[in-house]
Amino acid sequence: DVKVTQSSRYLVKRTGEKVFLECVQDMDHENMFWYRQDPGLGLRLIYFSYDVKMKEKGDIPEGYSVSREKKERFSLILESASTNQTSMYLCASNTGQGTYEQYFGPGTRLTVT
Amino acid sequence: AQKITQTQPGMFVQEKEAVTLDCTYDTSDQSYGLFWYKQPSSGEMIFLIYQGSYDEQNATEGRYSLNFQKARKSANLVISASQLGDSAMYFCAMSPVYSSASKIIFGSGTRLSIRP
């Protein structure tokens, strides 16, 4: 079974702090994704990566950056956290082949105070 | 631009009844894939079913079926014989199948509650 893990289920940070959200997948997937989920808005894509050291902006990249130094790990970075970044963050991965379904981690609920 | 619309923010259904969750989409792509995901209160997103735009038959997976009407650009999820464990958020999503990075666009979701 595909397993996608995220470093924290719950995280509380202060405004202005640098925040790292880590995601690891164990199925050798080429593609990895970071979404944020807010009530009534569904999931919105922040960044995705289709290979090591490769990244592409999604729909809402402002205020975020990412890092993919190894194939299995994709990190989301909030350089200076703000209260409007309080949200649920979901990481996903897929192979980029076949039917393209994405496999999701359990999510990190981030609160910025 | 691609867009997914789910017009039912919430639904209540009696246990054992069938339920249909609505989804319409907008795309100019000729080839695309449609997905449904379930998100229980625990938070993880669970893949349920996939339909390719060129598939002639509607997809089925156990109690889940996808009512695909290409001309109407609709991809409704049908759950037969609903169970209490079906209570969750349900998201419709779409991806262009030609994309190697497989970007998926999600709708805003429908919260389904099953009454005992």
Side-chain angles (χ1 to χ4, degrees), chain A residues 9 31 33 37 59 99-100 102, chain B residues 37 39 42 97 100-102:
Chain A
R9 288 302 303 270
N31 304 321
F33 307 81
Q37 182 181 10
D59 300 317
T99 57
Y100 302 138
Q102 294 183 5
Chain B
Y37 284 84
Q39 187 180 42
S42 53
V97 295
S100 62
S102 314

Side-chain angles (χ1 to χ4, degrees), chain A residues 9-41:
Chain A
R9 288 302 303 270
Y10 300 94
L11 208 53
V12 180
K13 295 292 182 181
R14 293 194 180 276
T15 302
E17 280 193 79
K18 190 169 186 175
V19 182
F20 292 87
L21 302 182
E22 304 285 338
C23 175
V24 178
Q25 51 92 5
D26 66 358
M27 285 301 292
D28 202 35
H29 284 170
E30 293 88 352
N31 304 321
M32 297 187 74
F33 307 81
W34 274 107
Y35 296 89
R36 64 176 282 176
Q37 182 181 10
D38 301 289
L41 297 178

Side-chain angles (χ1 to χ4, degrees), chain A residues 45-50 54-59 61 66 74, chain B residues 101:
Chain A
L45 183 64
I46 304 171
Y47 267 97
F48 66 98
S49 168
Y50 51 90
M54 305 301 288
K55 61 186 179 184
E56 293 254 354
K57 293 180 180 179
D59 300 317
V66 291
F74 192 35

Side-chain angles (χ1 to χ4, degrees), chain A residues 35 43 102 104, chain B residues 4 37 45 91-94 104-108:
Chain A
Y35 296 89
L43 277 72
Q102 294 183 5
F104 284 81
Chain B
I4 295 282
Y37 284 84
M45 295 281 283
F91 291 94
C92 180
M94 176 173 64
I104 291 183
I105 297 166
F106 288 82
S108 56

